[in-house]
RNA sequence: GGGGUUGUAGUUCAGCUGGUUAGAACGCCUGCCUGUCACGCAGGAGGUCGCGAGUUCGAAUCUCGUCAACCCCGCCA
């Protein structure tokens, strides 16, 4: 077989190449056979170019071209020529030229592909995942995967030039309490014992700081065995970073620099600095969640005091039981029918709310609601003022536990913003969410759990509560939120042994357990651990937003389904009894009969 | 673990209130065609209606179960 070198990429040719003899290699995007002339659109990573097979120019090539089909891999050699008048295709960047083929070689044939690769139809995701290598051949996916690669490249060069060292940490490591469920790997040489795949390189990067590497980063795979969502995969990638002798302000600053650079280079967008910051408690109050979408208003307000003045048992009862009443002013829905309001109520119920109270303010300022009768004169006016509502708005209220109210109103807020077209898709709104509480009480487990992770330092001002009321403690932590999606988070870590002990104690981890699970860290803290902190960026989520994708699956070459199956390789799968025996494992669940 | 949407030709879908032989577009196959680029023209093949029960004289259609994909709650940073 003649082994001629490729001279150009298909999509790279332009009118300046006129007259050149080129050799191209790529896939047959389409073939238009006119009996005499045959036109082939030849495609590679860079794009598409039309090649022309004319029996008068290359008779044998023309013969071969009659047998080629879509997705055949071919090599053509021929001359680049300006297209004749009236045959220019403005839809193609290469549309002013074409290649007259002298020689054509079929490098490989292709079966008819199971779905069109031209983006003309929305193919089911199951089909795309089964034939992922074909799905990835589509230009849309090529762009997304290439966009991700560019993002990684920008991040790497930024961090490299800022003194960060790329250091790898183990994949086979130790299961730790707290956090997500671990993926476990059985040990062959230690019967009955298991490694865990890392949920993140958290402890290792802290140890690297203790080793004195000062600045570390890693594009790190992380594993969490929890149920999936559009923005959650069982294995995902973090840009993991850690820095010594840096305050949270300094870390935030360098991260802003990185994000600004990324958006400039990838999107050509200038993001103004400094990014806004909001305290965690304020985010929860005003947006109902710790990852606020700040591209639009519809802010939430607390109206407990005013709601308590109404003779409305739903509100009174909730407030008596320690719950809250909060609301927001929604524009443009006074025309909603009873049924529309019921549908809106259903949205609130998704997050556990029992009902949704509403008061329409008509254009003339009159209140229209089933519950106006419970409010003494003037109270609704005060509520209207508190919510910043205008005539024509509808005030929506939830009354329940704080968790339910926050989650419900956050959902309503997003739902309405989407429906009313309040979200500007071209916007990129960053916000730092800072100072979250360290602990959350889990009534079902009757214990405190760490909101971030148990190595996050407690702010000096709130340390006094650590042993009395841990929920009152705040952490020196910061999440970076982009358009309502958390794309990263970090904190200043604990570098003092005594504080770490206290935090473990607050979490109900006794000394023995702490020594068993984290002994290496506790000991390391006693050998000159420097003050340090860091952050991890969710690379998949960032790539998702930068490429305008609906799901992180679109920016992961080989993702898993919602059940964590790989439809292409068919994993997870059975293993042989011998493999199990080597690992001293015995399945406890019998496979289902087919 | 739970709620919702979907599942019909290779693909994307239509198929009403159960009724004779389940359709369309694209794709595929054969032939014709020297300026197409969503090529065109003529002809053709292609179906276990996700799977399993049930109701019925009769099920793509109704009921129950089950499997899968997606969205969400719980879970998860």
């Amino acid at each position: 077989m003649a082994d001629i070198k490729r001279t150009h990429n298909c999509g790279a040719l332009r009118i300046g190449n006129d007259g050149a003899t080129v050799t191209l290699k790529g896939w047959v995007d389409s073939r238009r056979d006119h009996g005499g002339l045959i036109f082939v659109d030849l495609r590679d990573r860079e794009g598409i170019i039309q090649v022309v097979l004319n029996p008068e120019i290359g008779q044998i090539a023309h013969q071969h071209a009659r047998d080629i089909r879509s997705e055949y891999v071919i090599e053509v050699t021929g001359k680049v020529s300006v297209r004749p008048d009236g045959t220019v295709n403005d839809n193609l960047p290469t549309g002013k030229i074409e290649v007259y083929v002298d020689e054509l070689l079929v490098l490989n044939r292709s079966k008819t592909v199971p779905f069109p690769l031209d983006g003309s139809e929305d193919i089911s995701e199951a089909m795309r995942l089964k034939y992922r290598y074909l799905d990835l051949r589509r230009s849309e996916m090529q762009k997304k995967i290439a966009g991700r690669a560019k993002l990684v490249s920008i991040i790497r060069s930024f961090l490299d030039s800022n003194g960060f060292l790329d250091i790898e940490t183990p994949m086979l490591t130790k299961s730790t309490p707290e956090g997500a469920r671990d993926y476990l790997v059985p040990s062959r040489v230690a019967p009955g014992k298991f490694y865990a795949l890392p949920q993140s390189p958290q402890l290792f990067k802290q140890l690297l700081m203790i080793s004195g590497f000062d600045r570390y980063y890693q594009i790190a795979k992380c594993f969490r065995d929890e149920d999936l969502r559009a923005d959650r995969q069982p294995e995902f990638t973090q840009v993991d970073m850690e820095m010594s002798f840096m305050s949270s302000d300094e870390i935030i600053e360098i991260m802003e620099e990185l994000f600004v650079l990324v958006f400039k280079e990838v999107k050509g967008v200038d993001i103004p600095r400094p990014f806004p910051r909001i305290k965690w408690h304020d985010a929860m109050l005003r947006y109902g969640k710790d990852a606020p979408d700040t591209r639009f208003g519809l802010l939430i307000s607390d109206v407990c005091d005013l709601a308590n003045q109404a003779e409305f048992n739903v509100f009174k009862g909730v407030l008596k039981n320690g719950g809250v009443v909060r609301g927001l002013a929604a524009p443009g829905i006074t025309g909603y029918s009873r049924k529309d309001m019921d549908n809106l109520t259903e949205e609130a119920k998704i997050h556990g709310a029992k009902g949704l109270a509403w008061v329409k303010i008509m254009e003339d300022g009159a209140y229209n609601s089933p519950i106006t009768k419970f409010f003494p004169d003037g109270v609704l006016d005060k509520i209207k003022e508190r919510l910043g509502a205008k005539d024509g708005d509808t005030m929506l209220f939830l009354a329940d536990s704080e968790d339910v109210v926050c989650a419900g109103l956050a959902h309503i807020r997003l739902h309405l913003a989407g429906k009313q077209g309040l979200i500007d898709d071209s916007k990129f709104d960053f916000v730092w969410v800072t100072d979250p509480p360290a602990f959350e009480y889990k009534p079902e487990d009757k214990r405190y759990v760490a909101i971030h992770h148990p190595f996050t330092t407690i702010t000096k001002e709130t340390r006094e509560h650590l042993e009395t009321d841990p929920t009152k403690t705040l952490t020196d932590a910061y999440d970076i939120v982009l358009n309502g999606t958390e794309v990263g988070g970090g904190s200043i870590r604990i570098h003092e042994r005594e504080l770490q002990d206290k935090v473990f104690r607050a979490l109900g981890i006794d000394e023995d357990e702490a020594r068993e699970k984290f002994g290496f860290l506790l000991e390391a803290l006693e050998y000159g651990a420097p003050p340090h902190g860091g952050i991890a960026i969710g690379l998949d989520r960032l790539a998702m937003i930068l490429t305008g994708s609906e799901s992180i699956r679109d920016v992961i070459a080989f993702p898993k389904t919602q059940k964590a199956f790989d439809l292409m390789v068919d994993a997870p799968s059975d293993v042989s009894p011998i493999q199990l025996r080597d690992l001293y494992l015995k399945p406890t669940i019998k496979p289902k009969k087919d």
Side-chain angles (χ1 to χ4, degrees), chain A residues 431-592:
Chain A
V431 58
W432 290 101
V433 179
T434 66
D435 298 36
F439 308 97
E440 184 185 20
Y441 187 70
K442 283 255 163 159
E444 59 269 33
D445 300 345
K446 290 188 184 164
R447 67 185 197 97
Y448 297 97
V449 297
I451 285 183
H452 196 64
H453 55 59
F455 317 106
T456 309
T457 203
I458 313 289
T459 61
K460 284 211 174 64
E461 303 79 54
T462 62
R463 268 182 214 182
E464 55 185 290
H465 304 297
L466 196 48
E467 277 145 316
T468 51
D469 183 359
T471 58
K472 282 197 179 137
T473 58
L474 301 179
T475 55
D476 195 356
Y478 32 84
D479 278 358
I480 182 64
V481 174
L482 170 57
N483 293 353
T485 298
E486 184 207 316
V487 293
S491 64
I492 300 300
R493 325 297 185 189
I494 296 168
H495 68 280
E496 311 98 323
R497 168 74 195 252
E498 300 72 32
L499 182 58
Q500 188 67 70
D501 284 340
K502 278 185 194 168
V503 168
F504 281 151
R505 220 173 297 137
L507 288 168
I509 299 174
D510 65 37
E511 228 165 285
D512 285 347
E513 191 183 359
R515 203 179 311 118
E516 189 210 325
K517 301 291 187 187
F518 306 109
F520 58 100
L521 175 75
L522 294 174
E523 205 174 351
L525 290 177
E526 299 186 79
Y527 289 103
H532 63 284
I535 189 165
I537 299 172
L539 183 72
D540 312 285
R541 287 182 184 179
L542 186 59
M544 170 179 88
I545 293 171
L546 282 167
T547 58
S549 304
E550 297 287 323
S551 150
I552 64 170
R553 291 186 300 275
D554 270 6
V555 293
I556 296 173
F558 300 102
K560 303 209 170 20
T561 69
Q562 196 162 49
K563 286 238 168 101
F565 292 160
D566 184 324
L567 297 181
M568 188 182 67
V569 304
D570 189 25
S573 62
D574 292 325
V575 296
S576 72
I578 293 165
Q579 285 174 292
L580 289 175
R581 195 197 58 198
D582 281 352
L583 295 165
Y584 306 91
L585 292 178
K586 204 194 271 180
T588 55
I589 294 174
K590 296 222 166 77
K592 279 183 200 160

Side-chain angles (χ1 to χ4, degrees), chain A residues 337-365:
Chain A
S337 65
R338 185 59 199 252
K339 196 175 175 212
D340 293 331
M341 294 311 294
D342 284 348
N343 288 338
L344 201 54
T345 305
E346 289 305 312
E347 295 292 331
K349 284 183 177 173
I350 291 172
H351 288 265
K354 289 168 207 69
L356 177 73
W358 49 270
V359 177
K360 292 176 181 173
I361 311 173
M362 309 317 284
E363 288 299 343
D364 61 3

Side-chain angles (χ1 to χ4, degrees), chain A residues 213-362:
Chain A
F213 286 107
D214 202 288
R215 288 187 174 192
Y216 141 95
Y217 86 96
Q218 182 182 192
I219 311 287
K221 265 291 179 77
C222 306
F223 305 85
R224 291 176 190 162
D225 185 6
E226 296 292 348
D227 288 334
L228 308 183
R229 291 285 187 281
D231 60 356
R232 272 160 38 187
Q233 281 276 299
E235 52 179 310
F236 60 99
T237 306
Q238 286 186 344
V239 183
D240 194 47
M241 290 162 271
E242 197 77 2
M243 288 150 263
S244 293
F245 312 115
M246 296 270 276
S247 68
S248 46
D249 281 339
E250 289 170 305
I251 292 172
I252 282 172
E253 211 159 293
I254 195 165
M255 284 302 105
E256 288 187 4
E257 219 178 291
L258 173 58
F259 281 119
V260 165
L261 179 74
V262 161
F263 273 75
K264 184 70 185 170
E265 297 219 349
V266 178
K267 304 293 285 187
V269 171
D270 289 301
I271 309 284
R273 283 186 66 191
F275 298 175
R277 299 189 196 183
I278 185 170
K279 300 243 190 231
W280 187 92
H281 275 113
D282 294 329
M284 293 304 287
L285 176 65
R286 302 292 275 161
Y287 298 92
K289 56 193 294 194
D290 58 2
D293 192 333
T294 50
R295 286 175 297 177
F296 58 95
L298 295 185
L299 294 189
I300 298 163
S301 298
D302 189 278
V303 293
C304 289
D305 51 333
L306 297 168
N308 211 21
Q309 293 173 36
E311 292 306 319
F312 184 34
N313 285 334
V314 173
F315 286 0
K316 279 234 185 291
V318 162
L319 290 166
K320 207 167 152 190
N321 290 320
V324 298
V325 182
R326 290 176 188 170
L328 58 80
I333 63 166
T334 49
Y336 269 26
S337 65
R338 185 59 199 252
K339 196 175 175 212
D340 293 331
M341 294 311 294
D342 284 348
N343 288 338
L344 201 54
T345 305
E346 289 305 312
E347 295 292 331
K349 284 183 177 173
I350 291 172
H351 288 265
K354 289 168 207 69
L356 177 73
W358 49 270
V359 177
K360 292 176 181 173
I361 311 173
M362 309 317 284

